[in-house]
């Protein structure tokens, strides 16, 4: 089984819209090691959810909920979340000034 280290996903979602950042491919396992959250505007909040097997988004899926990011600042979350095939990482931000980047590895 080969492991590939890579950028898993990058998104700049519309304001207040749950957006898929990364979906684990079929027959693949993944580790999301670092999540970058960049706020390019004024103070705002963000959310991150992990949806096993692409479940419909629900309260039980959130791993970060309405965390603040200062204006023109970034956060780097070292989280080491393990993901199975078809799991989905979803992001949400209070404004369209946020960019999310997921870094990690895939094993197929």
């Amino acid at each position: 089984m080969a492991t590939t280290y890579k950028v898993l996903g990058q998104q700049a979602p519309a304001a207040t819209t749950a957006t898929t950042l990364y979906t684990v491919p079929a027959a693949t396992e993944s580790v999301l090691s670092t999540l970058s959250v960049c706020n390019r505007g004024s103070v705002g909040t963000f959310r991150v959810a992990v949806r096993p097997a692409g479940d419909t988004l629900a309260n039980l899926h959130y791993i970060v909920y309405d965390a603040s990011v200062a204006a023109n600042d970034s956060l780097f979350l070292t989280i080491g979340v393990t993901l199975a095939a078809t799991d989905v990482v979803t992001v949400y931000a209070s404004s369209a000034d946020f960019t999310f980047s997921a870094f990690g590895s895939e094993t197929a």
Side-chain angles (χ1 to χ4, degrees):
M1 293 177 58
T3 299
T4 304
Y5 300 95
K6 61 192 279 184
V7 176
L8 299 174
Q10 294 181 308
Q11 285 288 346
T16 66
T17 303
T19 303
T20 297
L21 175 63
Y22 172 67
T23 302
V24 181
T28 303
E29 297 170 339
S30 185
V31 176
L32 188 152
S33 59
T34 304
L35 178 66
S36 167
V37 183
C38 176
N39 181 0
R40 303 178 322 274
S42 59
V43 175
T45 60
F46 72 96
R47 302 173 186 174
V48 179
V50 175
R51 300 184 291 131
D55 284 352
T56 300
L57 186 61
N59 288 338
L60 64 104
H61 298 132
Y62 285 100
I63 59 173
V64 178
Y65 196 88
D66 286 350
S68 294
V69 180
N72 302 308
D73 201 1
S74 296
L75 293 176
F76 292 87
L77 306 173
T78 304
I79 52 181
V81 172
T82 56
L83 304 165
T86 71
D87 287 353
V88 177
V89 177
T90 301
V91 295
Y92 171 101
S94 61
S95 77
D97 294 326
F98 278 75
T99 302
F100 297 86
S101 296
F103 305 94
S105 61
E106 290 179 339
T107 303

